[in-house]
Amino acid sequence: SSVSSGQDTLWYFIQACGTVADISAAHRGHVANNVTISWYNKSPQGLVGLRNLGNTCFMNSILQCLSNTPELRDYCLRNVHRTDLNNNCRTNAALMEEFAKLTQSLWTSVTNEAISPSDFRSQIQRYAPKFVGCNQQDAQEFLRFLLDGLHNEVNRVTVRPKVSVEDFDHLSDDEKGKRMWNMYLEREDSKVVDLFVGQLKSSVTCTVCGFRSTVFDPFWDLSIPVKSSGEVTLKDCLRLFTKEDVLDGEERPTCNRCKARRKCTKRFSIQKFPQILVLHLKRFSDSNIRASKLSTYVNFPLKELDLREFASESSERAVYNLYAVSNHSGNALGGHYTAYCRNPALGEWYSYNDTRVSPVSSSQVRSSNAYVLFYELAPYPHSKYQTCRL
């Protein structure tokens, strides 16, 4: 087929060039590793728009962000998902198949003509009927449903063990976190989990006796609060998310040591950082009076977002680079979704507005429309083992 042929050519090109720097040079018409790739100048790899099927800009925005997620893209282009399906003897994987086909089309098309995601939409509507119809939907909610659906279909665990309740209170926080993470992987283990899932630590401390209890939960993204006025930084939002809260009144939990409801403090920290960190800026609120949207400008870094201050003491290094943003313009009653993505082959930023794809400068990526941020874990600097992942 034309898709598989284009896919083979793409991978011959990638293997010949090896790094983003080489590919960028090749894109300018140079020769990489003695292989002439002048054909690449005519091939808009990953720079193809998606048709709007009736208010589906929320879907198109997220699909473009995921298409520019390097390892997820490669997983689809190499058809590794089919290997996982065969190894696990899974037969019902229509959503993963359509997502992979769409990703392949975006990266192997030899024209700049926009692609219709109608087959993919049919499958996501079967998996999540709430997306049936032409109503505007929330992009972050769509992302959650999509990743959950993809994970379920390529989960390496075919028979989930029964959940056993174990007493981990005698263990250190570090060991307890590891045990709970391993328990999670015994039931949920896929390429999607490898990329997107981290672990959040919640610590609750009794103000009367000082007893501290910890809980570790997996997360696919972090929904972080945004202040309603002025300009704030992304770290300001994360500090608000991880600040110590007081649980009093009706919120008082039962202290395991006091055996009574006590005033407590609660704090979040990140125990395990994911390879792909998705940060959802909580711009929308739905009060009893009316829905509203915050248009606060959040200043977020494009490179070297260092999150060590939000990590648990024993957590690993966490420096991230931005590679995609899902934007929402408009208000809580209606609007339009677009995306800014850094093309992993060319290393340049592009705007994805349904069918229209156009280059943008890195200075344009930050705006008050930013809604969902996609960060990738940065490679260790100055490492002899460092490679450029495509």
Side-chain angles (χ1 to χ4, degrees):
S1 67
S2 59
V3 170
S4 61
S5 175
Q7 180 181 331
D8 293 341
T9 306
L10 173 63
W11 281 108
Y12 178 72
F13 163 69
I14 288 177
Q15 290 165 1
C17 294
T19 69
V20 168
D22 292 333
I23 292 174
S24 296
H27 180 67
R28 294 191 296 269
H30 296 169
V31 175
N33 292 354
N34 297 320
V35 178
T36 302
I37 37 70
S38 58
W39 63 270
Y40 188 70
N41 293 325
K42 302 176 183 178
S43 184
Q45 304 293 349
L47 303 179
V48 179
L50 292 169
R51 294 176 189 166
N52 194 314
L53 306 177
N55 224 2
T56 57
C57 57
F58 70 93
M59 180 179 76
N60 291 348
S61 172
I62 293 300
L63 288 174
Q64 294 290 10
C65 291
L66 294 180
S67 172
N68 283 280
T69 302
E71 284 205 31
L72 184 61
R73 177 204 65 173
D74 295 356
Y75 183 70
C76 296
L77 288 181
R78 292 170 172 166
N79 282 320
V80 181
H81 68 285
R82 290 183 180 172
T83 302
D84 287 349
L85 293 172
N86 292 334
N87 290 342
N88 298 325
C89 301
R90 294 184 183 273
T91 57
N92 183 19
L95 180 62
M96 184 72 238
E97 281 290 349
E98 290 302 332
F99 176 78
K101 286 179 184 177
L102 185 61
T103 303
Q104 290 169 1
S105 296
L106 291 172
W107 281 91
T108 61
S109 173
V110 294
T111 72
N112 59 1
E113 183 177 351
I115 294 170
S116 172
S118 57
D119 291 340
F120 167 81
R121 184 181 66 161
S122 296
Q123 291 304 327
I124 191 65
Q125 288 176 341
R126 289 188 178 94
Y127 181 78
K130 79 177 303 295
F131 297 111
V132 172
C134 296
N135 293 331
Q136 180 64 273
Q137 302 283 352
D138 183 84
Q140 183 258 352
E141 187 178 20
F142 172 77
L143 174 65
R144 283 275 190 97
F145 273 96
L146 175 54
L147 291 181
D148 183 68
L150 297 177
H151 156 68
N152 285 331
E153 291 189 348
V154 295
N155 193 351
R156 301 176 185 118
V157 179
T158 54
V159 179
R160 288 181 168 126
K162 293 182 179 179
V163 178
S164 59
V165 179
E166 299 183 39
D167 181 13
F168 292 146
D169 287 341
H170 65 287
L171 301 175
S172 66
D173 284 353
D174 186 46
E175 185 60 29
K176 184 177 180 180
K178 289 178 181 178
R179 293 277 189 95
M180 297 192 74
W181 177 253
N182 290 333
M183 286 179 61
Y184 175 73
L185 292 182
E186 287 176 0
R187 297 174 57 83
E188 315 294 343
D189 185 18
S190 70
K191 182 64 176 180
V192 187
V193 168
D194 294 344
L195 293 177
F196 290 94
V197 179
Q199 189 180 44
L200 195 65
K201 175 182 177 181
S202 173
S203 301
V204 176
T205 304
C206 177
T207 61
V208 176
C209 72
F211 178 78
R212 183 172 63 90
S213 63
T214 57
V215 175
F216 298 86
D217 293 308
F219 69 87
W220 292 77
D221 61 19
L222 295 178
S223 293
I224 57 178
V226 178
K227 291 184 178 180
S228 60
S229 60
E231 177 182 329
V232 299
T233 68
L234 182 60
K235 284 193 174 182
D236 290 335
C237 299
L238 286 164
R239 290 183 186 114
L240 198 58
F241 174 74
T242 56
K243 77 176 182 66
E244 187 174 85
D245 286 332
V246 177
L247 304 178
D248 201 1
E250 293 299 318
E251 293 184 323
R252 287 182 300 169
T254 299
C255 173
N256 289 341
R257 180 181 292 170
C258 297
K259 306 301 181 183
R261 294 184 66 189
R262 299 295 195 193
K263 177 182 177 181
C264 295
T265 60
K266 181 178 181 179
R267 188 166 196 167
F268 288 120
S269 61
I270 302 175
Q271 180 72 12
K272 178 179 174 55
F273 286 88
Q275 183 170 325
I276 304 298
L277 176 64
V278 180
L279 298 177
H280 164 230
L281 302 178
K282 295 175 67 174
R283 295 192 178 278
F284 296 99
S285 64
D286 191 6
S287 64
N288 294 329
I289 303 174
R290 61 183 177 85
S292 61
K293 177 190 174 184
L294 294 174
S295 295
T296 306
Y297 177 82
V298 178
N299 192 344
F300 50 87
L302 274 60
K303 294 182 179 180
E304 298 183 356
L305 171 64
D306 192 336
L307 299 180
R308 282 177 293 184
E309 69 173 280
F310 308 106
S312 304
E313 290 182 6
S314 59
S315 193
E316 65 271 30
R317 173 182 175 273
V319 178
Y320 286 87
N321 294 327
L322 186 77
Y323 72 90
V325 182
S326 175
N327 304 297
H328 180 272
S329 59
N331 55 41
L333 301 177
H336 182 58
Y337 283 99
T338 61
Y340 291 139
C341 302
R342 184 178 182 272
N343 185 284
L346 305 177
E348 304 294 338
W349 285 92
Y350 290 84
S351 168
Y352 294 82
N353 186 352
D354 287 335
T355 59
R356 300 186 297 279
V357 180
S358 56
V360 294
S361 66
S362 58
S363 62
Q364 294 176 273
V365 174
R366 297 186 189 90
S367 77
S368 58
N369 292 330
Y371 183 51
V372 184
L373 308 176
F374 292 76
Y375 280 91
E376 182 179 27
L377 196 63
Y380 282 92
H382 312 302
S383 170
K384 65 180 180 179
Y385 301 109
Q386 181 176 338
T387 58
C388 187
R389 201 166 41 239
L390 290 174

